Amino acid sequence: MAAILAATDIDVRINERVILDHASLALEERDRVGMVGRNGSGKSTLLKILTGLSAPDSGEVTKRRDLTIGYLPQQFSLDPSLNVAENIRSGARHVLDLIAQFESLPPESKRHAELETRILALDGWGLDHRIDTAIAHLNCPPGERRIETLSGGEQRRVALCRAIISRPDLLILDEPTNHLDTESIEWVGDFLENYPGAFLMVTHDRYFLDSITNCIIELAYGKTYSYTGNYTDYLTAKAEREAAAEVTEHKRQMFLKRELAWVRRGPSARRTKSKIRFDRFYEVEAQGPPEIDKDIDMVIPPPPPLGNRTVELAEVGMELGGRRLFSDLSINFENGQRFGITGRNGLGKTTLLKIILGQVQPTEGTVKTGQLTRFNYVDQGRLQLNDENTVMDEVGDGTEFVIFGEQKLSLRAYLKRFLFTDERITTQVKYLSGGERSRLLLARILKNGGNFLILDEPTNDLDLATLRVVEEALVAFPGVVLVVSHDRYFLNRVCTGILAFEGDGRIVYSPGDYDYYREKRDQRLAALAANKSASESERKKDAPKSQGNRPRKLSFKETRELEAIEPAIHIAEANIARIEALFAGPDFHRKHGQNIDTLTSELAAEKERIAALFARWEELESIKT
């Protein structure tokens, strides 16, 4: 299958620092690619080059001529002169322009028919329906809101919605799940799993990487390494690659050791042979050892002992601005427990943390804190960092040592455990990357000790390797841990209990990890839905027939959409027939065996598309009749 986009030998250097070193990749139709790498490894730089927003120092990017690309950068911008709805619709400008041309031409013109075919291929008549669905599931702010009134998280949801609604041939997404709540993340995952085109995304969400990708590209030391399969397959293959590199390095060292002994003996062989052997020695020596990723050595000081009471909440409730956030929360935090807090944004998760810390008083109920309880708080906004300070000043507070129980550790040695080099230790905070700021905040807060650790969205901006170390440190922490996170993988690895904000002022406590909570929640919701359906059936039986209700009519666009559904179904059925014919062919494995996964996914997507089209057809027909 021909590549729709390819990058070859991409080089980027900033001063003396190598960002990309002959990096190469190729994307095909329906590829599901996850890109991983350390913070600062050049992932965002490479994405900008692929979209044409930046140019490399050398190398080439080639694209299919008619390729359409949707792009969500990590540092995005929205048009402040447009409201939310207008910004989102601008993401489908090329589709809207086609519809405008179509409606301005007489039906008998040749261009009219060509435009209709193109609009059908882009599912243009269903655009408004897709926009409404995306806005609802991504919890975007109301369409009339102005951009300057939105928070950073709200703006990111609008930008993501803008990127996906036009269904481009290739979606390029840089950290699409940042600032999204769990439900929105799950919807984005379902959307991408059924996406008809290809996508390339940078994400630290390991569930995404495990469940919806068929290829992982790792960017390390400026070079790209491609692995077939999902994140788990990547971890296995990378371990095998590193093991092979270790064997190769061992052989190289043994060769150098033998040759060095030969040199020291003063070889008496012929000059030409000696020169060849010397050249070989210097060639192998110049290769150098393989690059090895360093992990942070996250250190949480031993906590002081806790008393019989840590924190007890009894029938706690909170109202803010006349709105009830939650009520009747009673829970006792005990030593050794690790609680995960999850739920949609805006339901009061951070407010609950402030109540526990004693920074905010609840409107009802009581909070009792033990005399020996010592809090350590890592805040969501990272507001506790002073941009004008250096890394050392920010952590040291005028001292050169960090106290760990009865031991002392030099400040430089402590910061190096968080992967700060001597150069970065003297760098001002304002010049740090997002990942470096997160590591610095962890280093600063954790050195203060405490036996009740509270972390609000600690996984934002951390790379995957750092995430694993943070998880292991928290699991080993002997005090109490309370963490707000939308990272399902993180919640499963760390937590012994879940506090879920489910809306309508309700907080549900579930023992165990996040998957266990989800299983129980789904069972509960299924039972409620069954009871509601039964009650609704009874109500309809008993209700008198309504008279005089005028049914609404289809709008112009809905009429157009309905007219387009049948041809779209025919197209999908033709694609299914084509793929099934390939599978049935006697030479399938010889001609198409390498594409079996792609064809299987394409077949499943077309069947799901037909089901969705029929459902929408029935919905519109019911309105029409």
Side-chain angles (χ1 to χ4, degrees):
M1 186 180 295
I4 59 175
L5 181 147
T8 307
D9 293 333
I10 302 298
D11 284 344
V12 174
R13 284 170 172 76
I14 299 178
N15 298 325
E16 299 300 318
R17 184 183 172 203
V18 176
I19 305 298
L20 298 174
D21 182 14
H22 291 80
S24 300
L25 62 86
L27 301 174
E28 299 179 352
E29 293 179 355
R30 291 194 59 79
D31 267 353
R32 276 94 171 85
V33 181
M35 182 179 289
V36 299
R38 295 278 189 175
N39 288 325
S41 61
K43 300 186 297 295
S44 296
T45 299
L46 181 55
L47 295 192
K48 290 179 182 178
I49 291 171
L50 296 178
T51 58
L53 295 178
S54 296
D57 296 332
S58 63
E60 183 182 21
V61 176
T62 57
K63 305 174 186 177
R64 194 180 68 192
R65 187 180 61 179
D66 58 344
L67 184 70
T68 57
I69 297 177
Y71 178 43
L72 173 68
Q74 199 167 30
Q75 302 297 327
F76 59 87
S77 62
L78 298 172
D79 189 339
S81 66
L82 304 178
N83 62 23
V84 167
E86 291 165 341
N87 266 282
I88 291 173
R89 290 182 67 83
S90 69
R93 176 52 53 199
H94 64 289
V95 179
L96 296 172
D97 288 343
L98 291 174
I99 293 175
Q101 291 181 48
F102 174 83
E103 293 176 345
S104 68
L105 293 173
E108 62 274 9
S109 71
K110 181 180 178 181
R111 178 61 176 161
H112 189 275
E114 292 173 352
L115 287 171
E116 185 169 25
T117 300
R118 181 62 176 156
I119 292 170
L120 282 173
L122 295 171
D123 193 20
W125 303 122
L127 178 61
D128 287 337
H129 177 67
R130 290 203 309 278
I131 291 176
D132 292 341
T133 301
I135 287 175
H137 284 92
L138 292 177
N139 196 24
C140 287
E144 66 276 7
R145 286 271 302 275
R146 306 302 303 178
I147 297 303
E148 61 268 17
T149 68
L150 305 183
S151 67
E154 288 174 325
Q155 290 191 32
R156 187 159 192 85
R157 292 196 291 275
V158 171
L160 176 59
C161 195
R162 179 182 63 180
I164 67 178
I165 52 98
S166 66
R167 288 193 178 175
D169 302 318
L170 173 62
L171 264 177
I172 297 181
L173 306 173
D174 197 349
E175 296 293 356
T177 62
N178 272 6
H179 303 290
L180 295 186
D181 54 51
T182 308
E183 293 180 8
S184 297
I185 290 172
E186 290 172 359
W187 182 83
V188 173
D190 291 338
F191 173 86
L192 291 175
E193 192 170 5
N194 298 298
Y195 191 68
F199 65 76
L200 167 64
M201 65 174 174
V202 171
T203 182
H204 299 148
D205 191 309
R206 289 157 289 185
Y207 267 102
F208 263 37
L209 294 171
D210 244 356
S211 61
I212 63 176
T213 60
N214 59 20
C215 176
I216 300 293
I217 293 177
E218 181 186 19
L219 190 55
Y221 305 103
K223 299 185 181 298
T224 50
Y225 302 89
S226 182
Y227 301 86
T228 301
N230 61 10
Y231 181 67
T232 300
D233 298 325
Y234 150 72
L235 290 177
T236 303
K238 181 182 179 181
E240 293 172 352
R241 176 172 68 84
E242 290 179 341
E246 288 182 8
V247 172
T248 301
E249 174 61 10
H250 177 71
K251 292 179 179 178
R252 190 180 77 92
Q253 292 295 337
M254 294 301 294
F255 170 82
L256 293 175
K257 186 177 181 180
R258 288 194 307 269
E259 294 303 287
L260 188 59
W262 173 78
V263 170
R264 287 171 175 169
R265 287 197 305 267
S268 58
R270 288 176 300 171
R271 173 172 294 207
T272 301
K273 185 175 181 180
S274 297
K275 183 178 184 303
I276 293 173
R277 193 163 179 178
F278 272 115
D279 289 344
R280 174 62 178 158
F281 172 80
Y282 291 124
E283 179 186 345
V284 173
E285 183 186 40
Q287 292 173 0
E291 299 279 6
I292 299 175
D293 287 337
K294 294 181 179 179
D295 288 333
I296 69 170
D297 184 10
M298 184 171 170
V299 181
I300 301 179
L306 277 163
N308 293 329
R309 172 187 289 164
T310 56
V311 176
E312 295 178 4
L313 276 62
E315 299 180 347
V316 168
M318 187 68 188
E319 286 190 7
L320 200 61
R323 172 172 163 252
R324 178 166 290 277
L325 295 178
F326 51 85
S327 59
D328 198 30
L329 175 61
S330 297
I331 192 166
N332 180 24
F333 296 97
E334 297 180 359
N335 195 18
Q337 290 181 317
R338 299 184 299 277
F339 288 88
I341 298 181
T342 185
R344 294 199 313 274
N345 293 325
L347 295 182
K349 299 187 295 296
T350 301
T351 301
L352 175 60
L353 298 187
K354 292 180 178 179
I355 289 173
I356 294 171
L357 289 164
Q359 297 176 0
V360 172
Q361 293 301 312
T363 52
E364 59 187 45
T366 59
V367 179
K368 295 181 180 179
T369 303
Q371 291 185 347
L372 299 180
T373 301
R374 299 291 180 267
F375 293 110
N376 207 336
Y377 178 42
V378 180
D379 79 319
Q380 180 181 10
R382 309 297 196 252
L383 299 177
Q384 298 173 349
L385 296 178
N386 185 336
D387 283 349
E388 299 304 316
N389 283 342
T390 66
V391 169
M392 176 171 280
D393 292 338
E394 192 66 17
V395 174
D397 295 324
T399 65
E400 296 183 359
F401 296 93
V402 176
I403 305 298
F404 279 81
E406 299 179 355
Q407 300 179 349
K408 288 198 303 184
L409 185 67
S410 75
L411 194 57
R412 282 185 176 273
Y414 175 70
L415 286 169
K416 286 181 179 180
R417 293 189 177 201
F418 288 83
L419 298 188
F420 287 102
T421 63
D422 287 327
E423 177 188 2
R424 301 305 279 176
I425 285 173
T426 56
T427 299
Q428 285 182 295
V429 171
K430 61 185 175 183
Y431 297 117
L432 301 182
S433 68
E436 287 174 322
R437 292 176 70 91
S438 296
R439 296 203 307 272
L440 175 58
L441 186 69
L442 287 172
R444 175 180 171 178
I445 298 298
L446 294 177
K447 80 180 180 68
N448 296 327
N451 48 29
F452 197 120
L453 191 58
I454 298 179
L455 303 99
D456 195 355
E457 294 288 0
T459 61
N460 282 351
D461 299 318
L462 295 181
D463 56 44
L464 295 173
T466 304
L467 275 175
R468 291 195 295 271
V469 176
V470 171
E471 289 164 353
E472 291 164 4
L474 292 178
V475 168
F477 184 66
V480 180
V481 175
L482 184 62
V483 55
V484 176
S485 179
H486 301 307
D487 188 323
R488 296 159 290 180
Y489 200 102
F490 181 88
L491 292 172
N492 279 339
R493 286 201 68 191
V494 170
C495 296
T496 60
I498 299 293
L499 283 172
F501 283 65
E502 294 189 344
D504 298 324
R506 185 174 63 255
I507 301 177
V508 174
Y509 168 69
S510 173
D513 62 16
Y514 181 76
D515 280 350
Y516 182 76
Y517 157 71
R518 277 291 308 273
E519 179 185 344
K520 294 302 179 182
R521 187 199 69 174
D522 291 347
Q523 292 174 1
R524 177 163 41 88
L525 293 179
L528 288 173
N531 291 336
K532 183 178 179 181
S533 178
S535 300
E536 185 70 16
S537 298
E538 290 297 322
R539 186 187 65 78
K540 287 183 178 179
K541 286 181 182 178
D542 298 336
K545 299 287 184 181
S546 60
Q547 301 291 332
N549 289 335
R550 295 181 60 188
R552 80 171 182 88
K553 295 182 179 180
L554 293 175
S555 66
F556 174 78
K557 288 189 175 180
E558 286 175 330
T559 302
R560 287 290 191 187
E561 184 183 356
L562 180 59
E563 292 172 353
I565 286 179
E566 186 174 354
I569 290 174
H570 290 323
I571 292 173
E573 288 176 338
N575 284 335
I576 289 174
R578 174 181 60 81
I579 297 169
E580 289 179 340
L582 290 176
F583 277 113
D587 56 353
F588 170 78
H589 288 285
R590 180 173 59 83
K591 287 186 175 181
H592 309 287
Q594 71 275 18
N595 297 324
I596 187 169
D597 290 339
T598 300
L599 291 170
T600 301
S601 299
E602 187 176 349
L603 181 62
E606 290 294 348
K607 288 182 177 179
E608 290 176 2
R609 176 171 167 76
I610 284 182
L613 287 169
F614 271 115
R616 182 62 174 161
W617 178 81
E618 290 177 358
E619 179 185 353
L620 294 176
E621 279 290 337
S622 66
I623 297 173
K624 179 180 177 183
T625 56

